[in-house]
Amino acid sequence: MSAASPSSSSKSPSNSTTKTPSTPSEVFNDILSSAQPAPTYSQQTWNPSNPYFPHYHNQNMTTTASPPEPIMPPTPALFTTPPILQDTLQTLSSKEQLSTAEICMKHLSNPSDPFPILSRRQHIAFLESGILGGRNGKLPHGMVLLDASRPWIIYWCLQGLDSLGVDVGKYRERVISSLRPLQNESGGFGGGNGQVSHVTASYAAVLALATVSRGEGEDGEEGEEALGIVDRRAMFHWLHEIKDWESGGFRVCVGGEEDVRGVYCALVILALLGLPTSGNLVKGAKEYLGRCQTYEGGFGATPNGNEAHGGYAFCTLAGLCILGEPAEVLRKHLDMDRLVSWLSARQYAPEGGLSGRTNKLVDGCYSTWVGGCWALIEAGIDGPQDEKEVALGQNKAVGSLWSREGLARYIMSCCQSPKGGLRDKPGKNSDYYHANYILLGLASTQNYFYYTPSPMPLPSSSPQDNESEDLPLPLTAPFLWRYSPRIPSNTPNVAEAIIEDMPEWPDDVEEEDMLPGQQIESDRLKVHHPIFNIPFERVGEIERWWKEKVGF
Amino acid sequence: MNQPPPDSYALDPSWTDLVPLPQDDGEHPLAQIAYTEEYSEAMSYLRAIMAKNEYTPRVLQVTAHIIEMNPAHYTVWLYRAKTLLSLLQSDDGAAADLGRELRFLNDLALRHQKNYQIWNHRQTVVEAMAAAPELVGQMVREEKQFTNAMFRRDGKNYHVWSYRQWLVRRFAAWAGEVEFVDGLLAADVRNNSAWNHRYFVIFGQQGEEGVGDEVVEREVRVVEDAVFIAPQNASAWNYLRGLLGKVGRPLSSVEGLCLTYAPLDNPDAITSSHALDLLADIYAGRKEERAKAIKALELLAARYDPIRANYWNYRAGIIKAAA
Ligand SMILES: [Zn+2]
């Protein structure tokens, strides 16, 4: 247990590590009161605008006269002690779990840095190396394993950089010239030049194009939309080719396997490109997604009985939320109680992070695949929210059903690689995939996403569901989401947690732009869209782009 | 095995009829990969062959070569599958040795545990082999053996489980599956993939009429035994809930079992948060015992599963609102 003790010297709050954890708030108060005198660790590492401590912030708010000195409280016992219930029987699963929990506890309870700050510059350098390559401008040949996933690399790095505050618009032309040779005449994108069109490669290509801004055209006017290089008509035809009319699902490519990724990726492509849903392309998709729910409450890869898995959970929920208003479409097609129970069980203590399956280990990438589900679920429970009420903090919402603090701690303490980039867990190397999905997950802890009422009835809210799916309308539901840094609280008498006092991150963080003393060391990330996982502000631009189109 | 690749396609007489097709990466491409000479050359010859829509034995040679360097190259796999199937139909049928293909896949699967494409391709090959009905029994036995070997390396490999379930359903090979799961659970009672497969098998082979009472009771006993040795094993409790829900038995039928591991009147003796969770649902369904449900949820939030406090409080809130 010595590793879990916040400080080995003098008056360490040792009771916090030996006592049974009671409620998180009690544990926290305990620690605050026992953390006197001021801790020995460097104040520089403490980020006073850290959003993840609702109770700490509450204290700030009650002492209105002069805010207390920002101190960094030691890690709560919840994250530094093993769970209170542990079986004596050991098996492979429990041994792996135990050793993971132990190494995470070590990171989480680091007395000199209980809540590390986001190593922004290092992560930026890491992600830039992913798109720009090394000194020869190329990725090392070992990356050949991703030779059929090049749109993915580009998307992961661009989105990760955008989250970190880098203006990725500067890559616009190169993104276009990199992806153009991947598009096939018969529709869709392959993972590389000359490769067969694949729905995940097409999805990643569309997302990569969607991350970069419209740029400036001649005369300083708004430039061409990067998504304009997509042959929408051919894409539309190709999507018909991979549609499985019997099951309602989509295959990943002509002759390829069929699973829920196919559905989610196809729906994102349809929605972002503003393609019509005529020709019944979405017919049976909701039912297909609903059938992927398993007896555990989570979602398998197909409706055929696969094990519930976090990756497929996000695909299913986001897919349904593209097809309609969350409160309606989720409640209609899913067993919400079992779903919420399973999703909630994905968060572990002491790690704080999220796992993908029952009795599997936490992994940073589930910060998106599982963590990203919470916004969708909470919207499904709350129903549409009024933007003005949200802004005033007057809306009725269920609040967070998960521990944002736990996930943020796991990400900050366990997922940041000392060499830059983010990783699955301590002991693993960082990679572009994990870096992006961990950053998106961190951004999810910092924002409240909600669904606003539709100005006109959505196709899905008509009672005659099947008929309305014939309407040649683009999918509009995902464009009705909004976000707020004001996260509704679910703890009575605790003013809402966070976040307004977090400094906004400057738009682009070129090293040379930074001023001495600038509030650069903030954990605040740029916000993404909860369904598309692209920069939030781009979604409105993209919607305007396809709305201006007539036909293809 | 596959014919070994030539030292150089450009210099090998069996390849010189082709003009290699280079890759177009566009101008100033992002995320460009520094290929080895060997990979670039093999790929450019494959592109040339694909452009001709050629389905000959040498396709198997070059695709095997590329797959060895990059087993995630789905286009290469698809073209290989197409070639195999086309060779089977042709006079050159002997060139498409499906048994050899499976051995090729075995070797790859063991070395690339996380690969998707291998298993998709395997499905294609096995489907083609099933054209000879007299061989199906033996083939399915061998396929099960091979997946067993994979599970010995990783009992939770998602692709292998998907394949196993496809195999079992496709060939109605349900026999022995429950015993197989028993073996996996004896080795690691927390293997959730094995529990999931149990559910798949129990309910998958029954069709519409559902499972009989004796099966349900046997399965409840399996759970009882499992939670006896590891009360905090979520997999077993999830299975129990799924089982009861599927056959329409009330949760209250296992109240006694839950109280064994979560005696509400003696919270210090609680050994399973999952039993507490179930009790909360059982009592929430009974008006006069809602206070007990709240108590169970409060114990979960405050003591036994506090990382999920928000969720437990949410559930308690729902019960209070209904009261
Ligand atoms: Zn991961």
mmCIF file of all heavy atoms in Angstrom, chain A residues 139-161:
data_model
loop_
_atom_site.group_PDB
_atom_site.id
_atom_site.type_symbol
_atom_site.label_atom_id
_atom_site.label_comp_id
_atom_site.label_asym_id
_atom_site.label_seq_id
_atom_site.Cartn_x
_atom_site.Cartn_y
_atom_site.Cartn_z
ATOM 1 N N LEU A 139 6.078 7.811 -43.088
ATOM 2 C CA LEU A 139 5.970 6.995 -41.888
ATOM 3 C C LEU A 139 6.893 5.789 -42.028
ATOM 4 O O LEU A 139 7.101 5.292 -43.136
ATOM 5 C CB LEU A 139 4.521 6.525 -41.719
ATOM 6 C CG LEU A 139 3.510 7.655 -41.505
ATOM 7 C CD1 LEU A 139 2.087 7.129 -41.648
ATOM 8 C CD2 LEU A 139 3.715 8.279 -40.125
ATOM 9 N N PRO A 140 7.430 5.302 -40.930
ATOM 10 C CA PRO A 140 8.363 4.164 -41.001
ATOM 11 C C PRO A 140 7.701 2.934 -41.625
ATOM 12 O O PRO A 140 6.488 2.765 -41.547
ATOM 13 C CB PRO A 140 8.725 3.902 -39.541
ATOM 14 C CG PRO A 140 7.711 4.629 -38.724
ATOM 15 C CD PRO A 140 7.221 5.757 -39.555
ATOM 16 N N HIS A 141 8.524 2.073 -42.234
ATOM 17 C CA HIS A 141 7.933 0.989 -43.026
ATOM 18 C C HIS A 141 7.138 0.005 -42.178
ATOM 19 O O HIS A 141 6.278 -0.700 -42.683
ATOM 20 C CB HIS A 141 9.008 0.284 -43.867
ATOM 21 C CG HIS A 141 10.032 -0.449 -43.063
ATOM 22 N ND1 HIS A 141 9.812 -1.710 -42.604
ATOM 23 C CD2 HIS A 141 11.257 -0.083 -42.624
ATOM 24 C CE1 HIS A 141 10.877 -2.117 -41.917
ATOM 25 N NE2 HIS A 141 11.757 -1.139 -41.913
ATOM 26 N N GLY A 142 7.394 -0.017 -40.877
ATOM 27 C CA GLY A 142 6.584 -0.866 -40.001
ATOM 28 C C GLY A 142 5.107 -0.500 -40.035
ATOM 29 O O GLY A 142 4.233 -1.321 -39.739
ATOM 30 N N MET A 143 4.827 0.730 -40.429
ATOM 31 C CA MET A 143 3.441 1.182 -40.504
ATOM 32 C C MET A 143 2.709 0.596 -41.709
ATOM 33 O O MET A 143 1.561 0.918 -41.963
ATOM 34 C CB MET A 143 3.398 2.712 -40.588
ATOM 35 C CG MET A 143 3.942 3.404 -39.363
ATOM 36 S SD MET A 143 2.792 3.337 -37.981
ATOM 37 C CE MET A 143 1.614 4.549 -38.526
ATOM 38 N N VAL A 144 3.407 -0.275 -42.440
ATOM 39 C CA VAL A 144 2.776 -0.903 -43.594
ATOM 40 C C VAL A 144 1.516 -1.665 -43.173
ATOM 41 O O VAL A 144 0.599 -1.861 -43.966
ATOM 42 C CB VAL A 144 3.788 -1.837 -44.316
ATOM 43 C CG1 VAL A 144 4.018 -3.109 -43.532
ATOM 44 C CG2 VAL A 144 3.332 -2.134 -45.732
ATOM 45 N N LEU A 145 1.447 -2.046 -41.913
ATOM 46 C CA LEU A 145 0.248 -2.733 -41.424
ATOM 47 C C LEU A 145 -0.985 -1.832 -41.515
ATOM 48 O O LEU A 145 -2.107 -2.313 -41.468
ATOM 49 C CB LEU A 145 0.454 -3.203 -39.984
ATOM 50 C CG LEU A 145 1.484 -4.325 -39.818
ATOM 51 C CD1 LEU A 145 1.775 -4.593 -38.356
ATOM 52 C CD2 LEU A 145 0.988 -5.609 -40.509
ATOM 53 N N LEU A 146 -0.753 -0.525 -41.631
ATOM 54 C CA LEU A 146 -1.873 0.408 -41.801
ATOM 55 C C LEU A 146 -2.017 0.864 -43.254
ATOM 56 O O LEU A 146 -2.672 1.851 -43.544
ATOM 57 C CB LEU A 146 -1.698 1.620 -40.877
ATOM 58 C CG LEU A 146 -1.887 1.338 -39.385
ATOM 59 C CD1 LEU A 146 -1.566 2.572 -38.550
ATOM 60 C CD2 LEU A 146 -3.318 0.886 -39.091
ATOM 61 N N ASP A 147 -1.390 0.109 -44.158
ATOM 62 C CA ASP A 147 -1.426 0.509 -45.562
ATOM 63 C C ASP A 147 -2.837 0.464 -46.147
ATOM 64 O O ASP A 147 -3.113 1.131 -47.136
ATOM 65 C CB ASP A 147 -0.498 -0.404 -46.383
ATOM 66 C CG ASP A 147 -0.253 0.135 -47.775
ATOM 67 O OD1 ASP A 147 -0.226 1.378 -47.929
ATOM 68 O OD2 ASP A 147 -0.104 -0.678 -48.713
ATOM 69 N N ALA A 148 -3.715 -0.311 -45.516
ATOM 70 C CA ALA A 148 -5.105 -0.335 -45.979
ATOM 71 C C ALA A 148 -5.985 0.532 -45.086
ATOM 72 O O ALA A 148 -7.202 0.411 -45.100
ATOM 73 C CB ALA A 148 -5.623 -1.774 -46.007
ATOM 74 N N SER A 149 -5.354 1.401 -44.311
ATOM 75 C CA SER A 149 -6.090 2.273 -43.384
ATOM 76 C C SER A 149 -5.598 3.706 -43.436
ATOM 77 O O SER A 149 -5.674 4.417 -42.440
ATOM 78 C CB SER A 149 -5.945 1.744 -41.949
ATOM 79 O OG SER A 149 -6.319 0.407 -41.852
ATOM 80 N N ARG A 150 -5.083 4.118 -44.589
ATOM 81 C CA ARG A 150 -4.492 5.463 -44.609
ATOM 82 C C ARG A 150 -5.490 6.580 -44.320
ATOM 83 O O ARG A 150 -5.145 7.532 -43.618
ATOM 84 C CB ARG A 150 -3.708 5.692 -45.901
ATOM 85 C CG ARG A 150 -2.317 5.041 -45.775
ATOM 86 C CD ARG A 150 -1.269 5.536 -46.731
ATOM 87 N NE ARG A 150 -1.308 6.947 -47.010
ATOM 88 C CZ ARG A 150 -1.579 7.457 -48.212
ATOM 89 N NH1 ARG A 150 -1.802 6.670 -49.240
ATOM 90 N NH2 ARG A 150 -1.575 8.749 -48.385
ATOM 91 N N PRO A 151 -6.733 6.493 -44.791
ATOM 92 C CA PRO A 151 -7.674 7.558 -44.395
ATOM 93 C C PRO A 151 -7.854 7.624 -42.882
ATOM 94 O O PRO A 151 -8.084 8.701 -42.331
ATOM 95 C CB PRO A 151 -8.983 7.140 -45.074
ATOM 96 C CG PRO A 151 -8.619 6.155 -46.117
ATOM 97 C CD PRO A 151 -7.354 5.498 -45.669
ATOM 98 N N TRP A 152 -7.724 6.476 -42.245
ATOM 99 C CA TRP A 152 -7.845 6.453 -40.784
ATOM 100 C C TRP A 152 -6.713 7.236 -40.136
ATOM 101 O O TRP A 152 -6.947 8.033 -39.231
ATOM 102 C CB TRP A 152 -7.817 5.016 -40.258
ATOM 103 C CG TRP A 152 -9.123 4.291 -40.372
ATOM 104 C CD1 TRP A 152 -9.417 3.284 -41.242
ATOM 105 C CD2 TRP A 152 -10.310 4.513 -39.599
ATOM 106 N NE1 TRP A 152 -10.714 2.861 -41.036
ATOM 107 C CE2 TRP A 152 -11.279 3.593 -40.035
ATOM 108 C CE3 TRP A 152 -10.637 5.397 -38.556
ATOM 109 C CZ2 TRP A 152 -12.562 3.527 -39.489
ATOM 110 C CZ3 TRP A 152 -11.910 5.337 -38.011
ATOM 111 C CH2 TRP A 152 -12.863 4.408 -38.479
ATOM 112 N N ILE A 153 -5.486 6.987 -40.577
ATOM 113 C CA ILE A 153 -4.349 7.702 -39.967
ATOM 114 C C ILE A 153 -4.576 9.202 -40.101
ATOM 115 O O ILE A 153 -4.401 9.970 -39.157
ATOM 116 C CB ILE A 153 -3.008 7.334 -40.638
ATOM 117 C CG1 ILE A 153 -2.826 5.818 -40.715
ATOM 118 C CG2 ILE A 153 -1.833 7.972 -39.881
ATOM 119 C CD1 ILE A 153 -1.539 5.400 -41.435
ATOM 120 N N ILE A 154 -4.991 9.594 -41.296
ATOM 121 C CA ILE A 154 -5.182 11.033 -41.544
ATOM 122 C C ILE A 154 -6.278 11.575 -40.638
ATOM 123 O O ILE A 154 -6.124 12.619 -39.999
ATOM 124 C CB ILE A 154 -5.493 11.281 -43.042
ATOM 125 C CG1 ILE A 154 -4.298 10.838 -43.896
ATOM 126 C CG2 ILE A 154 -5.817 12.748 -43.286
ATOM 127 C CD1 ILE A 154 -4.547 10.875 -45.391
ATOM 128 N N TYR A 155 -7.383 10.850 -40.544
ATOM 129 C CA TYR A 155 -8.470 11.313 -39.675
ATOM 130 C C TYR A 155 -8.038 11.359 -38.207
ATOM 131 O O TYR A 155 -8.230 12.371 -37.526
ATOM 132 C CB TYR A 155 -9.717 10.432 -39.842
ATOM 133 C CG TYR A 155 -10.648 10.596 -38.656
ATOM 134 C CD1 TYR A 155 -11.298 11.822 -38.432
ATOM 135 C CD2 TYR A 155 -10.832 9.579 -37.728
ATOM 136 C CE1 TYR A 155 -12.106 12.002 -37.312
ATOM 137 C CE2 TYR A 155 -11.640 9.753 -36.612
ATOM 138 C CZ TYR A 155 -12.268 10.965 -36.406
ATOM 139 O OH TYR A 155 -13.045 11.159 -35.295
ATOM 140 N N TRP A 156 -7.457 10.278 -37.706
ATOM 141 C CA TRP A 156 -7.061 10.262 -36.289
ATOM 142 C C TRP A 156 -6.185 11.462 -35.958
ATOM 143 O O TRP A 156 -6.386 12.143 -34.962
ATOM 144 C CB TRP A 156 -6.281 8.980 -35.948
ATOM 145 C CG TRP A 156 -7.068 7.715 -36.027
ATOM 146 C CD1 TRP A 156 -8.397 7.561 -35.759
ATOM 147 C CD2 TRP A 156 -6.575 6.414 -36.394
ATOM 148 N NE1 TRP A 156 -8.758 6.247 -35.945
ATOM 149 C CE2 TRP A 156 -7.669 5.523 -36.324
ATOM 150 C CE3 TRP A 156 -5.324 5.920 -36.765
ATOM 151 C CZ2 TRP A 156 -7.535 4.148 -36.615
ATOM 152 C CZ3 TRP A 156 -5.201 4.565 -37.049
ATOM 153 C CH2 TRP A 156 -6.291 3.695 -36.984
ATOM 154 N N CYS A 157 -5.185 11.682 -36.808
ATOM 155 C CA CYS A 157 -4.228 12.748 -36.495
ATOM 156 C C CYS A 157 -4.870 14.122 -36.614
ATOM 157 O O CYS A 157 -4.673 14.985 -35.757
ATOM 158 C CB CYS A 157 -2.999 12.634 -37.392
ATOM 159 S SG CYS A 157 -2.042 11.137 -37.065
ATOM 160 N N LEU A 158 -5.661 14.329 -37.661
ATOM 161 C CA LEU A 158 -6.281 15.648 -37.840
ATOM 162 C C LEU A 158 -7.250 15.945 -36.697
ATOM 163 O O LEU A 158 -7.245 17.040 -36.121
ATOM 164 C CB LEU A 158 -7.046 15.715 -39.161
ATOM 165 C CG LEU A 158 -6.226 15.773 -40.441
ATOM 166 C CD1 LEU A 158 -7.161 15.717 -41.642
ATOM 167 C CD2 LEU A 158 -5.374 17.036 -40.483
ATOM 168 N N GLN A 159 -8.079 14.985 -36.367
ATOM 169 C CA GLN A 159 -9.064 15.228 -35.321
ATOM 170 C C GLN A 159 -8.371 15.417 -33.967
ATOM 171 O O GLN A 159 -8.746 16.286 -33.193
ATOM 172 C CB GLN A 159 -10.079 14.083 -35.272
ATOM 173 C CG GLN A 159 -11.097 14.199 -34.150
ATOM 174 C CD GLN A 159 -11.805 15.542 -34.122
ATOM 175 O OE1 GLN A 159 -12.236 16.046 -35.159
ATOM 176 N NE2 GLN A 159 -11.915 16.140 -32.935
ATOM 177 N N GLY A 160 -7.348 14.600 -33.729
ATOM 178 C CA GLY A 160 -6.597 14.755 -32.481
ATOM 179 C C GLY A 160 -5.972 16.135 -32.395
ATOM 180 O O GLY A 160 -6.031 16.799 -31.356
ATOM 181 N N LEU A 161 -5.396 16.585 -33.504
ATOM 182 C CA LEU A 161 -4.778 17.909 -33.523
ATOM 183 C C LEU A 161 -5.822 18.991 -33.317
ATOM 184 O O LEU A 161 -5.601 19.966 -32.592
ATOM 185 C CB LEU A 161 -4.031 18.129 -34.843
ATOM 186 C CG LEU A 161 -2.722 17.348 -34.987
ATOM 187 C CD1 LEU A 161 -2.211 17.392 -36.420
ATOM 188 C CD2 LEU A 161 -1.663 17.884 -34.022
#
